Amino acid sequence: MNIDLELYRIFCTAAETGSFSAAAKRLYITQPAVSQAIQKLEESFDTRLFNRAQRGVTLTGEGEMLYGYAVRALSLLTEGEKKLRRIGELSGGELRIGAGDTVSKWYLLKATSVFHKLYPEVSLSIINRTSSETVKLLLEGKIDIGFVNLPMNEPGVVFEECITVHDVFVAGEKFSELKDRVLTLGEIARCPLIMLERASNSRRQVDRYFMTKGIDLSPQIELGAHDLLCDYARIGLGIACVTREFTDHDENSGLFEIKLDTPVPERSIGVCYTENTELSAAAKRYIELVMSSDIDD
């Protein structure tokens, strides 16, 4: 049975005020409009909901029963409306983000801090996974947005570029003789290399580039965390392939960047979300903050 929700609002107000005229004043409508609404509701159920008297109205037994359900339903609806408004105003709700450890630390940390200060009532959760795992979480509905290494292509997922990054090789003082040299790709490939595991999308892109030059990279050490690459290189275990923008390699870091005659092509970090899905206000605002943040700060 399709009954206009407004009829229930009028019904409940009349029950609470005990008067059709008082209900009309509270709802800013005319008394005949209230009477017509109650009559329509009674006709829909083929039962009398109010006892009419000169001094006002009272609920019948059937009316009492309906009122109990209607007032709870309207209360839940009102609460839902309030929560939706709070979410739209970024004073409630949640935002679930997927990203790798390195991107979370070096790229998203500043935006996350600013977002939390601006909108403390929005519940934030960040799940650290590889790029491919992040996309999987997105498709499973376990996160709202993800930040991944590009390029990636997955049906039903939108990818938007955020920043450009560069893969470089860094070394510690043990390899100081390389500071003033420019190495070829073949020469760097013959060095003791420290790289991320092959499951990493960024690692696969470096491998693919070297393969286009006929060079197969065979690192001596493979690690699962970007920061460990720097730590291992710093103590002289090898030369690490890292993301320049996500690495401290100034004169005080104990690392220096090795110059190559042919640099590895730049790549991108991007945000992804499911296609044909309207992003929440929180997701849109977070992406805006990420896009406007300066990772060099």
Side-chain angles (χ1 to χ4, degrees):
M1 182 181 295
N2 295 321
I3 299 178
D4 189 343
L5 183 63
E6 190 60 27
L7 296 183
Y8 286 111
R9 295 188 190 277
I10 294 172
F11 164 71
C12 288
T13 304
E16 291 160 4
T17 59
S19 164
F20 287 178
S21 59
K25 290 180 180 179
R26 180 184 292 185
L27 296 170
Y28 299 100
I29 58 177
T30 64
Q31 181 175 335
V34 173
S35 299
Q36 290 171 11
I38 300 302
Q39 182 180 355
K40 185 174 182 180
L41 200 58
E42 289 178 327
E43 290 173 353
S44 297
F45 291 110
D46 193 23
T47 189
R48 191 161 50 90
L49 299 174
F50 286 99
N51 296 308
R52 277 84 165 169
Q54 287 186 347
R55 295 184 179 181
V57 295
T58 58
L59 288 169
T60 63
E62 293 84 352
E64 288 279 5
M65 185 273 293
L66 181 62
Y67 175 77
Y69 285 103
V71 74
R72 289 198 297 272
L74 290 173
S75 177
L76 286 172
L77 183 59
T78 300
E79 184 63 24
E81 292 172 344
K82 288 180 180 178
K83 287 186 177 181
L84 278 177
R85 282 194 290 271
R86 284 168 57 82
I87 291 172
E89 296 165 357
L90 295 179
S91 56
E94 66 174 346
L95 176 60
R96 304 166 300 167
I97 303 164
D101 294 354
T102 305
V103 171
S104 296
K105 174 182 177 180
W106 291 92
Y107 184 50
L108 301 182
L109 189 61
K110 176 183 176 181
T112 303
S113 175
V114 172
F115 184 92
H116 181 63
K117 290 176 182 177
L118 291 174
Y119 314 108
E121 295 183 27
V122 176
S123 175
L124 270 178
S125 63
I126 300 179
I127 303 175
N128 292 139
R129 295 290 189 275
T130 65
S131 293
S132 58
E133 291 171 336
T134 295
V135 172
K136 185 173 183 291
L137 288 175
L138 184 68
L139 291 172
E140 292 173 348
K142 295 179 180 178
I143 58 173
D144 303 304
I145 55 175
F147 291 86
V148 297
N149 290 296
L150 299 179
M152 290 193 76
N153 184 29
E154 181 70 35
V157 178
V158 176
F159 297 92
E160 292 184 9
E161 182 179 314
C162 294
I163 59 165
T164 299
V165 295
H166 304 81
D167 296 300
V168 298
F169 292 86
V170 297
E173 286 304 312
K174 181 178 178 180
F175 297 90
S176 59
E177 73 276 5
L178 300 178
K179 282 185 178 181
D180 299 321
R181 289 185 54 192
V182 177
L183 273 61
T184 66
L185 296 182
E187 287 175 324
I188 196 69
R190 290 191 292 273
C191 292
L193 296 180
I194 307 170
M195 301 185 71
L196 288 173
E197 298 170 337
R198 292 184 185 274
S200 165
N201 195 40
S202 58
R203 160 70 188 279
R204 290 197 296 267
Q205 290 187 55
V206 174
D207 282 348
R208 282 196 292 267
Y209 175 66
F210 273 79
M211 287 299 295
T212 64
K213 305 299 182 181
I215 301 171
D216 183 19
L217 292 177
S218 300
Q220 290 189 358
I221 300 175
E222 294 182 320
L223 300 169
H226 185 273
D227 285 352
L228 286 178
L229 298 173
C230 299
D231 294 336
Y232 277 48
R234 195 173 285 112
I235 63 176
L237 293 184
I239 295 172
C241 180
V242 300
T243 304
R244 177 189 291 153
E245 288 77 7
F246 302 153
T247 305
D248 286 327
H249 55 280
D250 56 23
E251 59 183 14
N252 298 318
S253 69
L255 295 173
F256 65 92
E257 184 177 323
I258 294 176
K259 302 179 182 67
L260 298 179
D261 65 344
T262 309
V264 178
E266 63 185 27
R267 57 184 176 84
S268 302
I269 305 294
V271 62
C272 61
Y273 49 89
T274 51
E275 197 174 28
N276 301 322
T277 297
E278 178 66 24
L279 288 174
S280 67
K284 290 178 181 178
R285 182 59 179 137
Y286 185 85
I287 293 172
E288 288 176 359
L289 289 172
V290 169
M291 295 287 204
S292 65
S293 66
D294 185 353
I295 64 173
D296 293 326
D297 283 354

